[in-house]
Amino acid sequence: MLLKPLYHGHVPLRTIDRALMVISCSVGAYFHPENNNYIIGLGESTAFKPVLEKLRDGMLSDKTGRQILRERPRITSSSLNLNYLKNLPSNTLGNTYYKWLEREKVSPDTRAPVKYIDEDELAYIFQRYRECHDFHHAIAGLPITIEGEISVKAFEFANLGLPFAGFGTLFAPFRLNATQKKRIYQIYYPWAFSNGVNCKSLLNVYWEKILEHDINELCKELQIEKPPDLRQLRRLQKIKNRSK
Amino acid sequence: MFLKSTLKSSISLNRSANAYLNKKSFSSSSLYFNNINPNPNKNSSDHDPTTHFGFKTVLQDEKEKLVHNVFSSVASSYDVMNDAMSFGIHRLWKDHFIKRLDAGMRPGGQPLQFLDVAGGTGDIAFGLLDHAAKNHKDTKSTMTIADINTDMLKEGQNRYSKSKFALENPSRIQFIEQNGEILDKVPDNSKDIYTIAFGIRNFTNIQAGLNAAFRVLKPGGIFACLEFSKVNNTILNSIYKNYSFTMIPLMGQLIANDRDSYQYLVESIEKFPSQENFSNMIRKAGFYVPDKGFENLTFGVAAIHIGVKV
């Protein structure tokens, strides 16, 4: 039985397949968050239509959001010109993003294409979310460690309301040790929730067009404050542990 | 009417072929293009022969390439996936296949020439030689492993180089890249035993594969095929089908990061002829097929087919 695909790369699934994906990917992602397949599967199978439609409405009601939906920009290393970003002044968004990519040793090309969402435009919205995830990291300065990822997920959940981010926010901290849990609950979650709720919808930010903007002004405009540097905190904790 | 249906199938081919030829770097791409217009100037002849690729219809010329891509992408996680999908039962099937053949040089006899087709990763080939050595003290019979896919052959060669065969007598085993329907590098009447395990289902023209097997075997030579087949019990069949179509592509997606190849796998199993039909195809190639000619394994999920060249 073949369901009709609606866009290039679309793999239509039956409800039972989707349900199985939610279960297996949530178990897999909990025990092996480093395996990208589980994260991708969980994200797409839990992106229910009403949630994505609400996001689309949010984008349609904002001028920049509408522009993004019209132009459908994609973020890849070719669309972004990393050399240009490298040479921008250090207070710009572009340079901050570039420095973050270098520090975490990642590339913008690591985002898999969306396959399991049953509508062309909604699939684009989810793809945009996936590709902007790194910008969210960069603007908050959070690393790709498990704590950093959980914090960014919490931030995205508070801002966008995706169930997938919610699952991560709720269950992932159980994997952490005591110090990490303390940090998460006392510093990063409060930061994520207060900032996520207050700031402008992240999907309505046309990142590619504001690469030259000053990052502090941008943060003020978006109403985001930067949280404490997580890598720094971990380093200090390690020193403390060693001296004990 | 006929022109319309061939036009439709050549359109679907155009999309599928293009999808695979323009394959992107991350996992396997879907075979569907929905918003690409087929070339209106394409000359589609009235008689473009088509075949099935799982449930999709493709031109015969393209099937080989598509199958090639499937096996290139599954090569590295082949064993893990086989274990996961069959809960390890595939090992029992293969062991039984080897034991039943009970091949090996008998005392006072000549060493045997084995040919294992679509044997890429080598598990059957090495298993056969091990059995011959253990049960018949045969350390002289030679093995040729043929596969159409170089990535699978590389996996096989990798394993061979780590095995004891490489140390003892390297000239016993050779790997050749061959299309099982032609076997141009294999001379007529040159092999004693021809084995093919879970490979013939992927042939574009299964009868041609059987005919080639007949050609290369010596008179008295044995053809042995282990392949997925039809489950004989209706209730078990519906459970099995449900499991295949739901769980296997999901496992492919999560373990091997490749849902499409495993979707192809379950569809190709569905398309394979039944036990009786396949036995008849073996007879048609010229083989003598004793009794029914097949043995069901696990209620028909897999079956062993035997033929003798007389």
Side-chain angles (χ1 to χ4, degrees):
Chain A
M1 43 138 294
L2 287 173
L3 303 166
K4 198 172 187 310
L6 297 164
Y7 53 88
H8 170 39
H10 181 209
V11 176
L13 290 179
R14 305 167 299 176
T15 318
I16 175 82
D17 294 323
R18 216 174 279 280
L20 281 171
M21 246 217 266
V22 173
I23 299 172
S24 53
C25 289
S26 33
V27 173
Y30 182 79
F31 291 107
H32 286 283
E34 71 284 355
N35 183 337
N36 210 22
N37 296 335
Y38 297 131
I39 307 277
I40 292 174
L42 188 59
E44 290 187 43
S45 55
T46 55
F48 304 118
K49 212 159 177 186
V51 176
L52 287 174
E53 284 178 343
K54 185 151 173 270
L55 284 178
R56 173 171 51 194
D57 288 344
M59 289 178 83
L60 286 173
S61 55
D62 176 278
K63 186 159 177 238
T64 326
R66 287 196 290 275
Q67 188 183 14
I68 295 176
L69 279 179
R70 235 188 350 260
E71 296 174 15
R72 296 215 183 168
R74 300 288 302 269
I75 300 180
T76 60
S77 54
S78 41
S79 74
L80 272 186
N81 196 350
L82 294 175
N83 266 325
Y84 170 64
L85 297 181
K86 185 174 176 182
N87 297 323
L88 285 173
S90 61
N91 66 330
T92 54
L93 169 67
N95 193 262
T96 314
Y97 175 65
Y98 180 81
K99 284 210 281 269
W100 182 86
L101 287 177
E102 288 282 295
R103 192 184 187 195
E104 302 298 326
K105 301 189 187 43
V106 291
S107 126
D109 281 331
T110 51
R111 299 297 152 188
V114 166
K115 288 199 201 126
Y116 306 112
I117 291 183
D118 289 336
E119 201 190 301
D120 194 20
E121 190 165 45
L122 301 180
Y124 172 72
I125 294 178
F126 198 80
Q127 185 80 53
R128 177 82 186 156
Y129 160 68
R130 216 176 244 172
E131 289 173 359
C132 292
H133 180 74
D134 284 345
F135 272 106
H136 307 161
H137 267 282
I139 214 178
L142 285 166
I144 56 175
T145 60
I146 184 101
E147 276 180 78
E149 288 290 348
I150 297 177
S151 311
V152 176
K153 277 282 170 294
F155 177 49
E156 289 171 345
F157 179 56
N159 189 258
L160 301 169
L162 284 164
F164 154 58
F167 282 177
T169 310
L170 200 52
F171 296 114
F174 296 138
R175 287 182 49 107
L176 304 174
N177 66 36
T179 340
Q180 290 171 320
K181 262 195 219 157
K182 190 156 157 241
R183 269 204 293 263
I184 283 273
Y185 289 138
Q186 288 184 353
I187 308 175
Y188 291 100
Y189 269 21
W191 165 82
F193 280 99
S194 56
N195 279 274
V197 168
N198 284 327
C199 90
K200 177 179 170 190
S201 172
L202 291 165
L203 281 178
N204 288 338
V205 181
Y206 205 145
W207 302 101
E208 296 95 318
K209 297 225 177 225
I210 51 172
L211 293 169
E212 293 88 6
H213 287 209
D214 180 279
I215 188 139
N216 297 313
E217 277 182 30
L218 183 63
C219 284
K220 234 179 261 160
E221 199 186 308
L222 294 174
Q223 295 181 292
I224 301 179
E225 299 162 355
K226 250 184 128 141
D229 188 333
L230 183 53
R231 284 207 186 272
Q232 186 79 327
L233 283 182
R234 282 157 56 104
R235 221 172 290 139
L236 292 172
Q237 184 68 35
K238 274 200 192 105
I239 297 174
K240 212 199 284 178
N241 289 343
R242 241 175 266 146
S243 66
K244 269 206 193 121
Chain B
M1 189 61 180
F2 182 72
L3 186 57
K4 190 173 176 194
S5 65
T6 33
L7 199 56
K8 257 199 214 144
S9 54
S10 69
I11 288 171
S12 86
L13 147 79
N14 205 16
R15 291 174 186 167
S16 351
N18 276 328
Y20 263 75
L21 294 173
N22 297 330
K23 195 170 155 165
K24 301 280 198 306
S25 58
F26 25 72
S27 74
S28 72
S29 52
S30 159
L31 288 180
Y32 301 103
F33 262 94
N34 216 43
N35 40 16
I36 291 203
N37 292 319
N39 186 348
N41 299 323
K42 179 170 164 34
N43 296 324
S44 63
S45 81
D46 279 356
H47 301 287
D48 276 344
T50 59
T51 181
H52 53 82
F53 178 71
F55 288 163
K56 302 169 190 79
T57 305
V58 299
L59 271 191
Q60 281 186 9
D61 299 335
E62 293 304 327
K63 177 163 177 176
E64 199 179 296
K65 215 175 296 175
L66 295 172
V67 170
H68 179 276
N69 287 342
V70 164
F71 281 92
S72 284
S73 97
V74 305
S76 51
S77 43
Y78 192 67
D79 283 340
V80 175
M81 276 304 298
N82 283 345
D83 278 331
M85 293 189 291
S86 67
F87 306 110
I89 297 177
H90 75 109
R91 294 174 192 268
L92 297 175
W93 291 334
K94 287 172 180 162
D95 280 344
H96 180 79
F97 179 65
I98 292 171
K99 242 184 244 147
R100 187 189 146 152
L101 263 182
D102 197 19
M105 174 175 74
R106 297 307 199 265
Q110 293 292 332
L112 299 173
Q113 323 291 328
F114 286 91
L115 173 64
D116 185 35
V117 178
T121 57
D123 51 3
I124 293 282
F126 302 148
L128 284 166
L129 291 178
D130 273 337
H131 178 98
K134 213 178 292 172
N135 295 52
H136 301 286
K137 301 209 180 14
D138 173 4
T139 51
K140 295 238 173 52
S141 293
T142 63
M143 167 66 74
T144 303
I145 300 178
D147 200 300
I148 201 173
N149 184 300
T150 39
D151 294 302
M152 291 293 278
L153 274 177
K154 264 195 218 102
E155 268 301 312
Q157 271 163 324
N158 217 349
R159 284 183 210 183
Y160 165 64
S161 60
K162 295 191 196 126
S163 74
K164 60 179 195 279
F165 297 109
L167 301 166
E168 284 170 359
N169 188 355
S171 59
R172 278 183 81 192
I173 300 188
Q174 56 158 333
F175 289 81
I176 50 174
E177 186 189 333
Q178 286 283 269
N179 180 333
E181 295 171 24
I182 308 171
L183 292 178
D184 46 85
K185 290 198 193 124
V186 186
D188 297 3
N189 300 312
S190 59
K191 299 291 175 190
D192 294 287
I193 315 249
Y194 173 116
T195 50
I196 182 165
F198 301 116
I200 207 159
R201 153 187 110 253
N202 301 300
F203 281 33
T204 306
N205 185 336
I206 295 178
Q207 191 65 56
L210 294 170
N211 298 342
F214 189 80
R215 174 181 68 76
V216 305
L217 276 170
K218 291 181 193 163
I222 298 182
F223 166 85
C225 170
L226 172 61
E227 190 53 82
F228 288 111
S229 204
K230 305 286 180 229
V231 172
N232 39 28
N233 178 309
T234 343
I235 301 175
L236 281 176
N237 190 35
S238 53
I239 299 174
Y240 170 55
K241 282 283 148 3
N242 259 311
Y243 165 73
S244 304
F245 281 89
T246 315
M247 296 303 298
I248 291 185
L250 180 62
M251 284 195 238
Q253 178 193 340
L254 298 180
I255 302 177
N257 195 22
D258 189 351
R259 179 177 264 267
D260 291 350
S261 294
Y262 289 90
Q263 183 73 34
Y264 162 72
L265 168 67
V266 297
E267 292 177 2
S268 68
I269 294 176
E270 189 65 22
K271 282 287 184 179
F272 192 70
S274 67
Q275 284 87 327
E276 289 77 14
N277 289 345
F278 190 51
S279 287
N280 284 334
M281 289 172 79
I282 297 176
R283 283 193 189 96
K284 192 165 163 202
F287 289 102
Y288 165 67
V289 176
D291 299 321
K292 290 185 299 182
F294 62 87
E295 178 193 348
N296 277 336
L297 302 175
T298 317
F299 306 106
V301 172
I304 300 178
H305 280 82
I306 302 277
V308 185
K309 175 169 177 175
V310 290

